[in-house]
Amino acid sequence: MIAIYPGSFDPITLGHLDIITRSSQLYRRVIVVISRNPNKNPLFTVEERIAQIRKTTQHLDNVEVDSFEGLTITYARDRQAKVLLRGLRVLSDFEKELQMAHTNKTLASDIETVFLATSTEYGFLSSSLVKEIARFGGPINHLVPEHIALDVEKCYGNTLR
Ligand code: ADP
């Protein structure tokens, strides 16, 4: 079975990587897919994020990276994916995610949203938090892969390491 894991991944964190690694053991193929959202103002371009995720997941044979614009369920159908993966951290994720899952179900009854609970050590972790810490010069190398930490630090002009 093919699963897609849509998100912004701006940038990919160890929390995302944990979800990708665990789901790659559950599904034949996992497609990590960046939604091209013109309303967001990302730190990294879509092309940069694709390269970052590819490097981060290069050891996982059945993981692919792509981007799309439009409805997630349209992309899922195009790729013959029956599963839309999302990660759940805190209660506030639940409300938003459940609403999205219900909406997608009304649009595509053949596609299931599957939630994976975060691993306890990453329950607090988000891309925004990583950017917030880096903006003020704090350490992020325990939150993202090493090459991502370097990319983020470069964006904020942190070259002290
Ligand atoms: P989006 O803008 O679609 O929420 P994100 O890149 O923030 O994109 O997140 C993509 C998915 O990964 C979401 O389902 C989110 O809940 C999940 N996620 C993000 N961080 C973590 C984490 N630390 N642990 C588990 N899931 C996570």
Side-chain angles (χ1 to χ4, degrees), residues 57-100:
T57 59
Q58 62 190 355
H59 59 292
L60 299 169
D61 288 343
N62 60 341
V63 173
E64 186 186 317
V65 189
D66 196 6
S67 69
F68 78 103
E69 193 164 356
L71 290 177
T72 312
I73 52 114
T74 308
Y75 179 83
R77 282 210 175 119
D78 285 351
R79 299 303 310 268
Q80 270 104 44
K82 290 277 176 229
V83 170
L84 205 161
L85 287 168
R86 297 289 287 175
L88 280 182
R89 287 159 296 185
V90 286
L91 204 57
S92 52
D93 275 349
F94 183 78
E95 206 173 318
K96 174 174 65 91
E97 293 292 342
L98 194 65
Q99 185 186 32
M100 197 139 58

Side-chain angles (χ1 to χ4, degrees), residues 5-19 22 33 35 37 40 49 85-90 93 96-97 100 114-119 121-128:
Y5 180 33
S8 310
F9 307 103
D10 186 44
I12 186 169
T13 68
L14 292 179
H16 291 128
L17 179 60
D18 174 59
I19 297 287
R22 287 159 56 204
V33 61
S35 26
N37 187 343
K40 288 198 176 174
R49 281 178 275 161
L85 287 168
R86 297 289 287 175
L88 280 182
R89 287 159 296 185
V90 286
D93 275 349
K96 174 174 65 91
E97 293 292 342
M100 197 139 58
V114 172
F115 296 111
L116 289 190
T118 180
S119 293
E121 65 265 44
Y122 303 127
F124 68 98
L125 181 51
S126 69
S127 302
S128 326

